[in-house]
Amino acid sequence: MTRYLVTGNAGFIGSHVTHRLLDRGDEVIGVDNVNDYYDVRLKEARLARQEGKQHYKFLRLDVADRGAMDRMFASEKPERVIHLAAQAGVRYSLTNPYAYVDANLLGFLNILEGCRHNGVKHLTYASSSSVYGANTELPFATSDNVDHPISLYAATKKANELMAHTYSHLFNLPTTGLRFFTVYGPWGRPDMALFLFTKAILEGRPIEVFNNGDMQRDFTYIDDIVEGVIRVSDRIPTSETVPVVPNVSSRAPYRVYNIGNNNPVPLMGMIAALEKSLGKVAEKQMRPMQPGDVQATYANVDDLQADVGFKPDTPIASGIERFVAWYREFYHV
């Protein structure tokens, strides 16, 4: 049994990771502030699924609260940390930037300090495919330059990777960042396209299709994300020299991986699969590209496959069917 801290425990990925850890016999301390960025009832429903499970404890805390996090680390003494708490969303960062600084920068610093001072053996944390920003060469590889983010959200995730490397280098703290690619599935986030489209189609409302549908996303099913997170957390990086970017090497116990399906799907293809699963055709309103969005994402997962022996592979049609089944059951539609 390993004692884990999972932040963002009421979130989409965090709740699924918690279930997987508990099912395999680990101990989990879950932390979440359960904010109202999206429907709190969904977050509470995720938490309710975990109540009463053996070796599970939930603490309603904000990772940006330095004092509370210091006390939590000192009292709970987690052996490993999976840090998934963050202010998510590209578009929201255009209107509420301070939320991203508080949660994603200050909150991450509190996590790093807690790990540093309390003997944590491995910090695994969420980064994002959005760090690739203005990159146009596909597929995206972890060795690519990511110095040109096009949203504040992406900039904070890139900053997390830089902060983690610094702590790995200075304090020999093993850290691994995971660049997630368009995660979807049951219990997903209501601000994501698949959720928004499903809700609108079932309610008979039109859907907004950005960039006139000329977009591709490397949609990655939640079970594949969780499998990758767990495998990476179990593989603690060492101080052997590894390339960070071309012509730069590091001896820090630090890694970054993409976790994506390695199979970009056209947005209109995703919509067609959703229409088939719902048995309804969507009314589509074409819109221009939104600020902060990119035309395509596509993950190179060679490093992930080489190091932990795993590659996401759930087909989009299968994943959407499972999401729609959950949505109909949860919302009784």
Side-chain angles (χ1 to χ4, degrees):
M1 181 187 296
T2 301
R3 189 171 175 82
Y4 276 89
L5 168 66
V6 178
T7 70
N9 180 229
F12 175 30
I13 301 174
S15 62
H16 280 276
V17 167
T18 294
H19 275 280
R20 183 72 66 85
L21 290 171
L22 293 171
D23 287 346
R24 77 172 193 175
D26 290 310
E27 185 176 3
V28 175
I29 304 118
V31 164
D32 203 297
N33 68 352
V34 197
N35 67 25
D36 62 357
Y37 168 63
Y38 60 78
D39 189 358
V40 172
R41 293 171 297 178
L42 176 57
K43 296 182 178 183
E44 296 287 2
R46 293 181 186 133
L47 289 173
R49 298 172 67 224
Q50 297 158 185
E51 286 179 3
K53 289 209 169 191
Q54 193 174 15
H55 308 307
Y56 170 70
K57 179 179 185 179
F58 175 67
L59 301 172
R60 197 171 293 246
L61 299 175
D62 189 335
V63 294
D65 186 334
R66 177 179 174 182
M69 294 303 291
D70 284 348
R71 291 188 292 273
M72 185 279 300
F73 270 101
S75 63
E76 301 297 340
K77 294 290 185 185
E79 298 169 71
R80 297 182 191 174
V81 175
I82 298 178
H83 177 53
L84 302 168
Q87 179 56 61
V90 168
R91 292 171 193 152
Y92 187 60
S93 68
L94 275 66
T95 58
N96 193 1
Y98 290 100
Y100 292 78
V101 172
D102 291 342
N104 299 4
L105 298 183
L106 180 57
F108 192 63
L109 179 61
N110 290 337
I111 292 294
L112 288 169
E113 282 289 285
C115 292
R116 170 194 172 191
H117 291 294
N118 293 278
V120 169
K121 297 175 182 177
H122 188 197
L123 166 62
T124 305
Y125 62 95
S127 185
S128 168
S129 63
S130 66
V131 301
Y132 290 103
N135 285 22
T136 56
E137 185 173 349
L138 299 174
F140 297 149
T142 54
S143 58
D144 290 347
N145 184 291
V146 288
D147 290 339
H148 299 88
I150 58 173
S151 70
L152 181 64
Y153 170 68
T156 64
K157 289 300 185 178
K158 169 61 176 175
N160 287 171
E161 295 179 5
L162 296 172
M163 294 162 74
H165 183 270
T166 302
Y167 271 67
S168 294
H169 173 77
L170 290 176
F171 308 116
N172 203 38
L173 170 66
T175 67
T176 303
L178 301 174
R179 294 173 179 172
F180 296 140
F181 281 69
T182 314
V183 189
Y184 74 102
W187 299 95
R189 278 175 31 210
D191 62 326
M192 298 291 284
L194 178 62
F195 202 115
L196 291 168
F197 289 172
T198 300
K199 187 174 190 295
I201 293 169
L202 287 174
E203 293 175 356
R205 295 184 291 104
I207 63 173
E208 292 187 317
V209 182
F210 294 112
N211 202 37
N212 299 306
D214 184 18
M215 301 177 80
Q216 295 184 59
R217 289 292 182 269
D218 204 346
F219 293 98
T220 313
Y221 189 65
I222 183 61
D223 289 358
D224 289 332
I225 291 287
V226 173
E227 182 68 24
V229 169
I230 299 298
R231 289 197 187 206
V232 165
S233 180
D234 286 342
R235 187 181 189 275
I236 301 176
T238 61
S239 298
E240 64 189 21
T241 301
V242 295
V244 178
V245 294
N247 304 316
V248 178
S249 292
S250 172
R251 292 186 180 275
Y254 165 91
R255 297 290 185 280
V256 172
Y257 297 106
N258 289 331
I259 299 191
N261 217 45
N262 190 233
N263 182 30
V265 174
L267 178 59
M268 299 307 293
M270 181 273 273
I271 293 171
L274 178 59
E275 290 173 326
K276 181 178 180 181
S277 185
L278 290 172
K280 296 185 69 174
V281 175
E283 178 187 345
K284 304 169 187 72
Q285 294 181 344
M286 297 302 179
R287 298 283 187 258
M289 180 78 90
Q290 297 295 288
D293 274 358
V294 297
Q295 185 171 7
T297 64
Y298 179 5
N300 179 320
V301 294
D302 290 349
D303 292 346
L304 181 72
Q305 193 166 16
D307 287 354
V308 302
F310 176 68
K311 176 184 179 295
D313 62 0
T314 301
I316 187 73
S318 300
I320 285 178
E321 284 181 4
R322 294 175 211 168
F323 170 77
V324 167
W326 167 81
Y327 187 97
R328 287 187 178 280
E329 180 181 6
F330 185 76
Y331 290 103
H332 309 293
V333 291

